[in-house]
Every structure is written in C-alpha cells, then in structure tokens.
Amino acid sequence: MKKTSILKLNILILAPAFSAGLIFFGCGFFGRVPSSVEINGIAVGGKSPQSAVALVREAIVAELKQTGLTVVGDANEYRFTYPEISYKDNLQNLIKSVKKGKSYTAQVSYYLNGLSETVDIICNNESRQKVEPYAIFNSEGAPFTYFEGADGCTADKNKLINDIKRSLSGGFEDVRVKTETVKRQNDLRQVRYDTRRLSTFVTYFDGGNETRSHNIRLAAGTINGSILKNGEVFSFNQTVGERTAKRGFQPAKIIEKGEFVEGIGGGVCQVSTTLYNAALLCGCEICEYHPHSLSVSYVPPSCDAMVSGNYFDLKFKNVTGTTLYIRARTGKNYVAFDVYGRGDGNEYFYNSEVTGTIPAPEEITEDYTLVKDGKDGTESAGYLTVKRKGSVIKRKLVRRDKYAPIKKIVLVSDTAEEEVDKNETARNG
C-alpha cells in the first residue's frame, strides 16, 4: 500500500518536469537564444533568455541616462533621467518567439515616476500669485510708498502631463510649461486715490515754552502712524496712554477747577483738540468729546476737545467705508494732523459761532499780588456743513458749549480811580 502511494507521488512530480523538458527541447535551442538573433541592434544569439533580456535592458537604461527628458519653465529647467524615468517592455514575451538569424525591435514605453506629484511641484514653481498695486503707510517722510504690483500666472497642469507623456512616447523632445497670465484687477491710480489726503488741521503754540512743547510732541508722536479700519473707534487715552512723569511727560499749564495751574502733561489737550478737528473734517463720527471749562487760545470756541486721566477721552469712529491713515506733524510752534484714505466722497466744513457772553465777575482786593485780569465767558455752537460735488447736502449742529468767565481781581485804589473817572465823564456830559 505504501509503495504504491510513493510510486504515484514520484510519477506526479516527474511528469510536469518531463513535459517542460519536452517543451524546452521543442524550442530548438535547449535554453539558449538561437544564433544570429538581434534585438534592438544588439546580438543576443546563444545567450540565455535571462542574459539576453538583461543585455537589451542595460542598453535601454544607458540610452535613457544619456537622453533624459527636459521640462523648460520660465523660472526653472527640470531634467529627468533614469530612474526618475522608467519603462515597460515586451522582452519577456519577445524572447520566447525569436528565430535564428532574425532581427527584432522590442516594444518599449517610457513613463515618469510620480508624474502627477512631479507636475504639481513644477506647476507650483512656475506659477506666481498676482500682486495688486499697493501702498505702504509711512510714519516719516513721504506719507506712502507706492508699488505697481505684478501680474500673476498659472501653469496648465493637464497640458503639462499630456505633453510629458507625448514626449516620452516620441523622441524625448523638450517640454515647455504653458502658463496663463492672471491680470491685476486694479491700477496704481486707484491706490493713490484710496490714500489721498482727506483732512488737515493745524494749531499753533508758544515754541519758547519748552515743557509744554515737549508734551505736545510726545503725545502727537504716539498717534503718528495710526491706522483706523472702517468701523473701528479711535481712543485718544488708549493710544497716548497715561500722562505721567515716568512716561516722559513734564509739568506745564493745565486747566483745573476753572483755573490755569501747573500739572503733568500740560499741552496734551492741544493735541487732542487738533486731532478732533481733523477727524471731523474727514467724516468721522465723534463718539466722545469734552469741552474745556475755560476757552482756549489755540482754537475758536466749540472747537476744542479736552482729555484728562482715564475719564475724559476723545473717541471717534471711522464711518467712511474704508481705512483711514493718521499722520502727526510737529514743528517749532505747531502741531498738525493729516488724515488719508478714500473717504466717503463728501467734503466737510466745520465752523463755530459765538452765541453769547458771560460777564466776568469782579473782586476787589487790597493785596496787589492777587491782582489779575479777568475774561468774559463765552456761549457758542459748532456746525458741520457737508457738501458733495460742490452742493450742500446738510448743515447740522454738532455741539453747544459754555466757557466760564475768569474772575477779575482789582485793587481798591484802582476801583476808586475808576469811580472818579466815571463821575468826571458824567459831569462833562
């Protein structure tokens, strides 16, 4: 029983081998390529099929390394050879059917490994984003530096893939990356219009008052270069910060309880006042302002904007529809604010009117050191006129104010002399 099984197993193992031998014998060359056979011009006769295939493939690779594929772009040139370029052939099937004394040409097809990913990289390198004309806002020198921008371009990925395939299936001709121009939408004239000067306001001060002049320049410098986007609110106190000696502010005259007294940061209110008017004249919405208790010399009544501590602030909102750019300028005796942007297309004019006076009270003293001039108080109103294309759209009341009088103190003797003068005048008719 066992011998029969072993015999059958041996017969099963040997039968396929015998059949293969018959087939190989039938080929006529006992495992060798027939003599005088050429493939792709290479003599492979008498070699084993494996050696023949390897020999032809070595020649294909050698030629591939020498030839390669070049992709030409505007920015770079890309060179591909073996093994980046690989191939497929029919040599395994061809070698089985060759006949003595014949020449054959193998079918070879070439392809670029990772074609899609490689083309993505090339297209990214050869494409460039368009850059619209733009301006950079400067805090010193010219308000803006302007740039023309540049057109962009995009590389055609699908065409590049097809062109590479066509080249690899032909004569390995150079492939050029095709790009399409992406035009800029704007021009520099629009950028310049969007950064035109919308308003300017200047006030003057005594340049000889060094501490006050210093405070004005320091406060204005913190505001210089501010950018206010549409819808944003500007806060003077947040921008300038605390007016303290530690932050560099010095003592100068301030108004406190209806009196001019020495205080840290004197002069800063002239900066806030100047900015207030520049904001009004470019179309901003005033959210918070405070008049001084006494009228000031550097602007007409109803044109001032006092700031103090954290509780009296100047705030205005950009409602022009586009970004605003704020520049501060200071000289020996002036502070100015310029506001730039596109604006809302309107022109703004602000003026004040004195609507009444408040007589200054008088006090008599016998101490000549207390003598001082007084000043009548003022009642006033501020009006904003809005024009478009030269025509008045509206004129609106912005504010009404009262500025207290400053008490006059005179000597008793001066009062007596005045009475004598009045009586003398009355007698002389």
Side-chain angles (χ1 to χ4, degrees):
M1 188 71 176
K2 286 184 178 179
K3 290 182 179 179
T4 305
S5 299
I6 293 171
L7 181 61
K8 288 182 178 179
L9 182 60
N10 289 336
I11 293 171
L12 289 171
I13 293 172
L14 291 173
F18 179 74
S19 299
L22 289 176
I23 294 170
F24 198 66
F25 181 81
C27 290
F29 50 84
F30 299 96
R32 295 287 173 176
V33 177
S35 62
S36 302
V37 172
E38 290 187 356
I39 300 177
N40 289 3
I42 299 171
V44 294
K47 298 183 180 298
S48 68
Q50 294 85 351
S51 297
V53 169
L55 190 62
V56 176
R57 284 179 175 171
E58 284 177 11
I60 293 172
V61 170
E63 184 179 357
L64 196 53
K65 289 179 178 179
Q66 292 296 318
T67 305
L69 170 70
T70 300
V71 177
V72 181
D74 293 332
N76 299 286
E77 191 172 277
Y78 310 86
R79 178 76 176 169
F80 303 98
T81 59
Y82 181 85
E84 297 155 314
I85 298 176
S86 193
Y87 64 94
K88 295 178 181 179
D89 60 54
N90 68 337
L91 284 169
Q92 293 285 4
N93 291 327
L94 178 62
I95 203 71
K96 296 175 184 178
S97 60
V98 296
K99 295 181 180 180
K100 179 179 178 180
K102 298 289 185 179
S103 295
Y104 300 89
T105 300
Q107 294 177 1
V108 181
S109 60
Y110 300 94
Y111 60 91
L112 183 62
N113 286 308
L115 176 60
S116 181
E117 294 80 1
T118 301
V119 168
D120 278 338
I121 293 171
I122 294 174
C123 288
N124 287 336
N125 289 342
E126 297 301 319
S127 299
R128 64 177 181 272
Q129 293 289 331
K130 67 177 179 180
V131 179
E132 296 290 348
Y134 66 99
I136 294 177
F137 182 44
N138 304 314
S139 56
E140 300 293 338
F144 294 92
T145 304
Y146 292 96
F147 297 88
E148 291 279 359
D151 291 337
C153 68
T154 57
D156 190 331
K157 178 180 177 179
N158 291 332
K159 186 175 189 308
L160 182 55
I161 287 175
N162 291 331
D163 288 348
I164 288 174
K165 289 179 177 179
R166 188 177 299 110
S167 175
L168 294 178
S169 64
F172 280 55
E173 300 86 357
D174 288 354
V175 173
R176 176 162 286 279
V177 181
K178 180 184 178 183
T179 58
E180 294 183 0
T181 300
V182 181
K183 290 288 187 181
R184 288 162 285 178
Q185 299 300 306
N186 300 322
D187 60 34
L188 200 55
R189 289 174 297 178
Q190 182 64 51
V191 177
R192 291 184 183 278
Y193 182 81
D194 290 347
T195 53
R196 63 196 178 102
R197 188 164 64 182
L198 301 175
S199 68
T200 296
F201 199 82
V202 185
T203 60
Y204 297 89
F205 54 84
D206 177 11
N209 188 334
E210 293 183 1
T211 57
R212 191 172 187 278
S213 301
H214 167 81
N215 291 338
I216 289 173
R217 295 189 183 99
L218 181 58
T222 61
I223 300 169
N224 184 36
S226 295
I227 298 175
L228 193 63
K229 294 182 179 179
N230 183 53
E232 287 185 342
V233 174
F234 179 93
S235 166
F236 186 93
N237 285 342
Q238 286 182 4
T239 304
V240 176
E242 289 185 283
R243 277 74 78 184
T244 62
K246 186 177 181 180
R247 298 188 66 244
F249 290 92
Q250 300 178 3
K253 291 289 184 183
I254 62 172
I255 299 175
E256 188 174 279
K257 297 179 181 180
E259 299 282 341
F260 285 96
V261 298
E262 287 288 314
I264 297 295
V268 170
C269 288
Q270 183 164 348
V271 178
S272 59
T273 292
T274 308
L275 181 58
Y276 166 81
N277 284 272
L280 268 177
L281 295 176
C282 72
C284 283
E285 175 188 312
I286 305 300
C287 304
E288 180 182 348
Y289 82 94
H290 303 274
H292 290 85
S293 57
L294 304 175
S295 60
V296 293
S297 60
Y298 45 84
V299 288
S302 289
C303 292
D304 61 326
M306 179 268 292
V307 291
S308 180
N310 295 320
Y311 34 92
F312 290 120
D313 198 1
L314 166 65
K315 293 181 180 179
F316 54 86
K317 184 177 183 179
N318 178 6
V319 293
T320 65
T322 57
T323 301
L324 296 177
Y325 306 87
I326 303 172
R327 275 279 294 262
R329 293 180 287 117
T330 54
K332 183 178 180 180
N333 67 337
Y334 73 87
V335 58
F337 281 100
D338 304 303
V339 182
Y340 299 85
R342 184 193 301 174
D344 57 10
N346 295 329
E347 293 180 279
Y348 295 87
F349 303 89
Y350 185 70
N351 66 290
S352 69
E353 297 178 4
V354 174
T355 58
T357 57
I358 305 170
E362 187 175 291
E363 182 179 313
I364 299 172
T365 183
E366 295 179 353
D367 185 352
Y368 74 92
T369 62
L370 300 177
V371 172
K372 68 176 182 179
D373 292 331
K375 182 181 178 182
D376 289 342
T378 304
E379 296 179 350
S380 61
Y383 292 90
L384 186 69
T385 301
V386 184
K387 291 185 177 181
R388 194 173 187 89
K389 295 181 179 180
S391 300
V392 175
I393 299 175
K394 62 182 175 180
R395 184 174 186 265
K396 66 176 183 178
L397 175 67
V398 174
R399 54 190 279 189
R400 289 188 183 277
D401 303 291
K402 285 186 178 182
Y403 299 93
I406 299 175
K407 182 169 57 177
K408 180 179 182 181
I409 302 177
V410 297
L411 283 171
V412 174
S413 58
D414 291 338
T415 305
E417 288 179 8
E418 288 179 7
E419 283 295 324
V420 171
D421 290 341
K422 286 181 183 178
N423 293 334
E424 191 70 31
T425 301
R427 282 197 300 271
N428 293 334

